[in-house]
């Protein structure tokens, strides 16, 4: 892998064993369509070895019944759509062209993140003639339904009799992830095909629910007449091209994807194929990317840091874009791909501070996804006898829980029950996101609307789920699972769930406090409207107050905040388990007839999440409210204790540690940060990156830079800037939106400057280590750090 600039990424050799990881790394998307970077010539064969064609429509799930381990399940999964990108050629009746190490002279694949364009350049010999193929592809950020593939074939002489083959394939299905095969498989049934001699073609396919339709229309532009045939759910179009007298031979595929209510018939979909020139389509796409990058980009002088941050920013912005706002979409953990079935977890928690301060309209759209599912979350809580809203750990289209009932453990070949739907802390993540948007925008209308709705309904859930324990004179939360998924039950327990997970309990308290803040901060008329709409009873706020002051937290004998009640009584883990050549710990132990539940081990940072999300002052205020001792020494010992148990087998773990330690151990924070920056870029060929990039880790890396290292945090009182730059960070610049005003924050030669742009319409309140001051438009102030 080579990097010539911080806004591009390139591979300068072909490696079949690494192709699926590169396909995920170079996936192109526009917030609506997602296209894996599978080679077109590989797509042109029925079952390409080592490649995986993938085309997805954001949020288009199928929950048809599957039998897994003897149980019927309706787990929703993002659908792999018909593949329209197959393209290859042959000369003199030789085999159809395909990539092979022994035939390539040169090879280079490169993404330009500034432009959202992926290119390949490869050279080879065809029937004794040197040929160069230049491929360009993009998923239009100017047209939500459009993707374009372009080939230019350069040769020193005309290649007469060159045959070209284009395919549109609906035979593939969802088969990327071996351990999920029983949940996946074929999901689409071809309903209608059409193909014309001018290269236009299309297919309409349905899910098992035949009211759910997708149309994929494609036009393959080439100097030939096409002859097509459909067999085995696959359209093959062949033609003999005329080599141009001057310039390269150009082959181009334009693709339109439409689903459900966007679809008015296949002829309509084919009519939507654009007539504009390639240059015009590309220019509109590039302009949209130029506009997107203008929104508060974070730049770091050190290329080793800046490059992975730009890569992260590119993936995040193509997963959630202005085009996404027209659709009902969340923030998928692995992007719009098959990893985790394309489902939505809590990963937006790591991206929301960025969206809220860079693109608040996109943050608001993501919050709409949750608010639209609020009625379903209320029904889920009511079914279990709780009040308020209980959001699912894994979400898709209908707001119901999508966690699969079983996980396949490949070392033993066993199906193991998956109880992680008990991660009720997802509700606090939704509330955190909502409050983050309010702090960044100061928008009282949204606070009185969806922001207030979400925070209050999650608070209602916590107030009803917390049980008052007379023996402790405190509230307890029982039978849940924390962020660390290696502990799902107590040793030898018959039922899953743990009691008093520290992160869950303290974030429940935080949420209850924010619900009280919502009522306190709203003007009277807006508050009364909110109270009436949510049918708030007069006694509810006082109950929230009581619960939020009397929640139980687990501590070890020496005063350290424990992960959950009883964690300190588990067996210590042998040091050899942390060897890098070991398989994943839960798979390894289960194959031995053992279980992580028995040991003091953590897959990822759990309690440390508190130090990642909340500042020392915020944590101190919560502990004071609960009347528990807490100071810098307890915080440091708590972090050391949990760092000793974490195995970092989650992509998020080192990101969380980098943020949690930023203000207390700069060296350790920087070490973790440098690791988390390259989570996907340095992954092995057979790693989970093949299933989609880790968006939360990418978002978290940007969040740590902005919110921890530069210390930029919106607050009720104003914009807080309390930097904690680690040694070796160097110069940084970023821009954030605060209450609709653009603020530039720079670190140059160890001096951190905050500047309110001159075009701002009003001053802001700036809070930093030297005090609080009013920052007027066009003025700057240096802050310590």
């Amino acid at each position: 892998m080579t990097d010539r600039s911080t806004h591009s990424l390139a591979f300068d050799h072909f490696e079949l064993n690494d192709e699926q990881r590169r396909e995920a790394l170079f996936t192109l998307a526009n917030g609506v369509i997602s296209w894996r970077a599978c080679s077109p010539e590989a797509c042109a064969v029925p079952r390409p070895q080592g490649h995986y064609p993938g085309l997805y429509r954001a949020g288009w799930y199928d929950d048809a019944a599957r039998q897994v381990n003897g149980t019927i399940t309706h787990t929703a999964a993002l659908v792999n759509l018909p593949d329209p990108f197959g393209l290859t050629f042959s000369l003199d009746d030789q085999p159809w062209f395909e990539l092979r190490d022994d035939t390539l002279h040169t090879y280079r694949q490169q993404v330009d993140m500034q432009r959202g364009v992926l290119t390949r350049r490869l050279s080879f010999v065809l029937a004794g003639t040197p040929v160069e193929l230049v491929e360009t592809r993009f998923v239009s950020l100017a047209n939500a339904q459009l993707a374009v593939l372009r080939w230019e074939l350069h040769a020193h002489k005309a290649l007469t009799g060159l045959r070209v083959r284009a395919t549109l394939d609906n035979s593939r299905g969802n088969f990327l992830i071996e351990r999920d095969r029983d949940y996946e498989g074929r999901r689409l049934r071809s309903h209608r095909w059409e193909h014309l001699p001018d290269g236009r073609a299309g297919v309409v396919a349905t899910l098992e629910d035949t009211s759910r339709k997708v149309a994929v229309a494609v036009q393959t532009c080439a100097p030939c007449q096409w002859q097509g045939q459909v067999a085995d759910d696959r359209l093959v179009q062949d033609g003999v091209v005329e080599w141009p007298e001057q310039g390269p031979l150009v082959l181009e595929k334009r693709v339109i994807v439409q689903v459900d209510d966007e679809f008015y018939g296949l002829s309509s979909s084919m009519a939507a194929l654009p007539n504009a020139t390639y240059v015009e389509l590309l220019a509109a796409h590039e302009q949209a990317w130029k506009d997107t990058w203008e929104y508060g980009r974070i730049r770091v002088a050190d290329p080793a840091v800046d490059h992975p941050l730009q890569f992260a920013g590119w993936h995040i912005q193509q997963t959630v874009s202005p085009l996404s706002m027209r659709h009902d979409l969340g923030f998928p953990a692995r992007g719009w791909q098959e990893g985790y079935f394309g489902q939505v977890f809590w990963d937006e928690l790591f991206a929301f501070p960025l969206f809220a301060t860079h693109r608040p309209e996109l943050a608001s759209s993501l919050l709409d996804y949750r608010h639209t599912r609020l009625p379903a979350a209320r029904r889920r809580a009511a079914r279990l006898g709780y009040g308020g809203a209980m959001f699912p750990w894994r979400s898709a289209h209908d707001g119901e829980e999508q966690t699969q009932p079983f996980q396949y453990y490949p070392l033993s070949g066993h199906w193991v029950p998956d109880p992680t739907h008990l991660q009720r802390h997802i509700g606090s993540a939704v509330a955190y996101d909502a409050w983050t948007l309010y702090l960044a925008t100061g928008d009282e209308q949204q606070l009185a609307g969806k922001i207030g709705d979400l925070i209050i309904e999650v608070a209602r859930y916590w107030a009803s789920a917390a049980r008052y324990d007379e023996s402790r004179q405190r509230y307890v939360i029982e039978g849940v699972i924390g962020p660390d998924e290696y502990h799902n039950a107590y040793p030898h327990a018959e039922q899953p769930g743990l009691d008093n997970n520290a992160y869950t309990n303290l974030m429940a308290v935080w949420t209850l406090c924010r619900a009280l803040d919502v009522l306190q901060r709203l003007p009277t008329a807006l508050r009364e409207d909110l109270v009436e709409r949510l049918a708030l009873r007069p006694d509810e706020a006082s109950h929230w107050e009581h619960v939020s002051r009397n929640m139980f937290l687990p501590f070890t004998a020496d005063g350290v905040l424990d992960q959950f009640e009883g964690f300190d009584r588990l067996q210590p883990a042998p040091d050899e388990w942390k060897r890098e050549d070991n398989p994943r710990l839960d798979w390894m132990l289960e194959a031995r007839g053992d279980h992580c539940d028995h040991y003091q081990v953590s897959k990822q940072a759990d309690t440390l999440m508190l130090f990642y999300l909340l500042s020392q002052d915020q944590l101190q205020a919560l502990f004071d409210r609960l009347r528990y001792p807490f100071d810098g020494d307890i915080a440091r010992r708590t972090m050391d204790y949990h760092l000793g148990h974490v195995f970092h087998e989650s992509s998020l773990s080192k990101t969380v540690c980098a943020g949690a330690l930023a203000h207390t151990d700069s060296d350790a924070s920087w070490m973790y940060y440098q690791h988390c920056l390259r989570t996907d870029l340095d992954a092995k060929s057979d790693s989970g990156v093949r299933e989609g990039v880790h968006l939360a880790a990418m978002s978290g890396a940007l969040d740590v830079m902005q919110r921890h290292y530069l210390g930029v945090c919106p607050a009720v009182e104003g914009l807080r800037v309390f930097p904690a730059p680690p040694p070796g960070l160097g110069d940084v610049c970023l821009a954030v939106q605060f209450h609709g005003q653009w603020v530039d924050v720079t670190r140059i030669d160890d001096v951190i400057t905050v500047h309110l742009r001159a075009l701002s319409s009003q001053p802001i309140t700036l809070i930093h280590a030297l005090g609080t001051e009013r920052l007027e438009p066009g003025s700057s102030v240096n802050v310590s750090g």
Side-chain angles (χ1 to χ4, degrees):
M1 182 171 62
T2 60
D3 307 318
R4 291 194 174 181
S5 72
T6 59
H7 59 260
S8 69
L9 176 68
F11 291 93
D12 56 14
H13 69 285
F14 172 71
E15 186 177 331
L16 183 60
N17 290 337
D18 196 37
E19 272 296 280
Q20 290 190 15
R21 184 181 74 100
R22 298 182 189 183
E23 290 168 0
L25 289 175
F26 285 160
T27 291
L28 299 176
N30 63 5
V32 179
I33 296 174
S34 179
W35 176 17
R36 284 176 65 91
C38 186
S39 303
E41 64 278 4
C43 298
V45 299
R47 285 286 180 265
Q49 295 298 313
H51 304 267
Y52 190 81
L55 178 67
Y56 309 93
R57 171 59 159 71
W60 208 67
Y61 299 99
D62 173 44
D63 58 2
R66 295 287 191 271
Q67 183 168 334
V68 180
N69 195 32
T71 300
I72 299 298
T73 177
H74 292 268
T75 302
L78 198 69
V79 179
N80 191 4
L81 304 180
D83 173 30
F85 296 108
L87 189 62
T88 188
F89 50 82
S90 171
L91 186 64
D92 297 336
D93 294 322
Q94 294 297 310
W96 294 104
F97 173 75
E98 61 179 329
L99 285 183
R100 294 201 317 267
D101 288 327
D102 58 347
T103 60
L104 286 173
H105 288 186
T106 61
Y107 180 91
R108 183 173 180 81
Q109 186 180 32
Q110 179 173 342
V111 66
D112 184 334
M113 295 177 277
Q114 290 282 98
R115 301 163 57 229
V117 173
L118 179 64
T119 58
R120 278 193 314 163
R121 288 181 176 269
L122 45 148
S123 63
F124 48 91
V125 174
L126 194 63
T129 300
V131 177
E132 182 185 35
L133 188 157
V134 180
E135 174 188 297
T136 308
R137 62 168 78 186
F138 63 91
V139 174
S140 178
L141 204 60
N143 181 338
Q145 300 177 348
L146 177 66
V148 177
L149 169 72
R150 180 182 174 91
W151 272 8
E152 294 182 4
L153 285 170
H154 299 259
H156 297 303
K157 67 176 184 178
L159 299 176
T160 57
L162 186 72
R163 292 187 299 150
V164 177
R165 169 165 288 180
T167 60
L168 172 56
D169 193 345
N170 190 35
S171 69
R172 301 195 189 280
N174 289 42
F175 292 99
L176 176 61
I177 304 168
E178 181 68 32
R179 65 185 181 279
D180 290 341
R181 289 289 175 92
D182 285 18
Y183 289 102
E184 293 278 26
R186 289 290 302 277
R187 294 187 175 275
L188 288 170
R189 304 173 181 179
S190 298
H191 175 69
R192 182 186 171 197
W193 292 88
E194 187 167 336
H195 52 94
L196 302 172
D198 65 1
R200 285 180 295 160
V203 62
V204 177
T206 68
L207 299 175
E208 184 176 289
D209 175 0
T210 56
S211 68
R212 304 283 310 287
K213 293 182 173 67
V214 58
V216 177
V218 56
Q219 181 170 18
T220 305
C221 306
C224 69
Q225 288 291 305
W226 296 97
Q227 305 225 344
Q229 182 176 1
V230 177
D232 299 324
D233 263 353
R234 187 167 176 263
L235 168 64
V236 177
Q237 293 175 293
D238 288 336
V240 178
V241 299
E242 298 180 11
W243 195 270
E245 293 183 4
Q246 292 185 340
L249 171 67
V250 176
L251 307 173
E252 186 180 310
K253 282 201 166 198
R254 299 178 176 191
V255 174
I256 288 290
V257 177
Q258 297 177 333
V259 299
D260 296 336
D261 58 357
E262 301 167 350
F263 169 70
Y264 297 102
L266 187 52
S267 59
S268 175
S269 299
M270 292 173 69
L273 290 161
N275 293 320
T277 67
Y278 172 79
V279 171
E280 291 170 334
L281 295 176
L282 180 60
H285 166 73
E286 291 178 335
Q287 183 59 53
W289 265 110
K290 182 179 179 181
D291 295 342
T292 292
W293 280 115
E294 291 296 319
Y295 282 86
R297 192 174 190 173
I298 299 174
R299 297 305 306 262
V300 181
D302 181 358
V305 177
D306 192 60
H307 180 259
L309 288 183
Q310 301 313 311
F311 187 66
W314 173 63
H315 265 292
I316 294 162
Q317 291 176 112
Q318 67 171 4
T319 302
V320 181
S321 78
L323 298 178
S324 307
M325 296 171 59
R326 305 170 193 173
H327 305 276
D328 178 28
L329 300 174
F331 188 76
R334 291 296 191 91
W336 297 115
Q337 295 216 46
E338 290 174 42
Y340 295 137
F341 305 102
Q343 294 170 357
V344 175
F345 294 65
W346 70 331
D347 300 69
E348 73 233 34
L349 179 73
F350 297 87
F352 234 84
L354 300 168
F355 283 125
T357 56
H358 294 248
R359 300 297 297 267
E361 70 280 11
L362 298 186
S364 181
S365 178
L366 288 174
L367 212 58
D368 286 338
Y369 173 83
R370 296 297 190 181
H371 193 257
T372 299
R373 286 152 184 77
L374 186 56
R378 288 173 175 140
R379 292 192 295 271
R380 296 186 69 250
R383 286 199 294 266
L384 295 179
Y386 298 127
M390 188 178 77
F391 283 92
W393 172 235
R394 297 172 68 154
S395 180
H397 55 293
D398 64 2
E400 292 296 333
E401 181 61 67
Q402 298 300 332
T403 299
Q404 65 266 46
F406 304 99
Q407 292 268 10
Y408 182 76
Y409 278 29
L411 294 185
S412 67
H414 295 158
W415 286 102
V416 177
D418 184 352
T420 55
H421 63 276
L422 295 175
Q423 293 196 62
R424 309 296 194 211
H425 62 84
I426 179 67
S428 295
V430 173
Y432 183 91
D433 295 341
W435 186 248
T436 297
L437 179 60
Y438 167 66
L439 293 180
T441 63
D443 189 332
E444 290 184 343
Q445 294 297 324
Q446 290 200 77
L447 185 65
K450 61 189 175 189
I451 290 175
D453 289 352
L454 290 168
I455 292 174
I456 286 175
E457 292 291 24
V458 174
R460 278 174 149 172
Y461 166 72
W462 286 128
S464 64
R467 178 183 67 82
Y468 191 69
D469 184 340
E470 291 285 354
S471 65
R472 288 178 167 135
Q473 296 288 291
R474 284 189 178 270
Y475 290 89
V476 295
I477 298 176
E478 300 163 316
V480 301
I481 292 174
D484 166 34
E485 296 175 359
Y486 274 179
H487 291 91
N488 297 329
Y490 288 105
H492 313 300
E494 294 184 0
Q495 297 295 326
L498 304 161
D499 298 337
N500 298 309
N501 172 260
Y503 174 78
T504 301
N505 284 24
L506 201 59
M507 288 306 294
V509 171
W510 180 92
T511 303
L512 291 163
C513 292
R514 298 296 76 75
L516 294 168
D517 283 345
V518 169
L519 297 179
Q520 182 180 7
R521 295 199 62 78
L522 283 175
T524 301
L526 292 177
R527 180 174 63 251
E528 289 176 350
D529 287 345
L530 178 65
V531 168
E532 181 179 358
R533 186 177 70 253
L534 298 183
L536 279 172
R537 301 185 308 275
D539 63 335
E540 286 194 77
S542 60
H543 182 55
W544 301 343
E545 184 80 29
H546 193 256
V547 176
S548 70
R549 292 186 179 277
N550 294 281
M551 184 68 75
F552 175 79
L553 295 178
F555 288 86
T556 65
D558 60 351
V560 164
L561 183 65
D562 213 348
Q563 184 167 310
F564 55 82
E565 193 171 8
F567 180 85
D568 59 336
R569 297 193 295 272
L570 301 178
Q571 301 176 49
D575 289 339
E576 59 266 24
W577 285 1
K578 288 193 174 184
R579 288 202 336 244
E580 289 188 3
D581 58 345
N582 278 333
R584 209 174 92 170
L585 185 63
D586 56 340
W587 293 352
M588 181 180 79
L589 292 183
E590 192 274 336
R592 298 176 178 178
D594 205 345
H595 203 281
C596 292
D597 285 336
H598 300 163
Y599 301 96
Q600 293 180 7
V601 296
S602 299
K603 177 183 179 183
Q604 61 182 316
D606 186 303
T607 309
L608 290 167
M609 272 295 301
L610 294 167
F611 298 87
Y612 175 87
L613 289 180
L614 305 175
S615 69
Q616 179 77 11
D617 289 346
Q618 291 172 314
L619 286 172
Q620 187 69 58
L622 289 173
F623 279 92
D624 289 347
R625 185 180 186 88
L626 292 168
R627 306 180 309 284
Y628 281 118
F630 186 78
D631 55 24
D633 175 64
I634 293 174
R636 180 68 258 185
R637 290 191 295 114
T638 295
M639 286 189 274
D640 288 342
Y641 172 76
H642 292 289
L643 286 169
H645 297 308
V646 67
F647 271 55
H648 302 297
E649 290 190 333
S650 161
S651 63
L652 276 174
S653 190
K654 292 182 179 179
T655 308
V656 171
C657 290
L661 295 171
H663 287 265
T664 58
D665 189 338
S666 290
D667 290 334
S669 172
W670 188 238
M671 177 196 68
Y672 283 120
Y673 191 70
Q674 290 175 303
H675 282 290
C676 79
L677 278 174
R678 303 192 65 84
T679 297
D680 290 335
L681 293 173
D682 291 345
K684 296 179 180 178
S685 296
D686 61 352
S687 70
V689 179
R690 295 178 300 120
E691 305 164 13
V693 296
H694 296 84
L695 286 179
M698 290 180 167
S699 303
L702 289 159
D703 182 40
V704 169
M705 181 63 66
Q706 176 174 302
R707 199 165 53 86
H708 291 283
Y709 290 164
L710 289 187
V712 180
C713 299
V716 169
E717 303 82 9
L719 183 65
R720 294 173 58 87
V721 181
F722 285 81
L729 174 60
D731 293 349
V732 185
C733 65
L734 63 85
V736 296
Q737 287 195 65
F738 179 67
H739 290 202
Q741 317 302 312
W742 277 105
V743 181
D744 296 299
V745 182
T746 59
R747 180 179 191 255
I748 299 175
D749 296 332
D750 296 329
V751 176
I752 295 176
T753 303
V754 182
H755 172 75
L756 180 60
R757 293 184 184 174
L759 294 178
S760 299
S761 60
Q762 60 189 31
I764 66 167
T765 300
L766 179 66
I767 307 162
H768 55 98
L770 300 179
T772 299
E773 57 190 287
R774 180 183 172 99
L775 194 61
E776 297 288 344
S779 62
S780 303
V781 64
N782 293 338
V783 302
S784 63

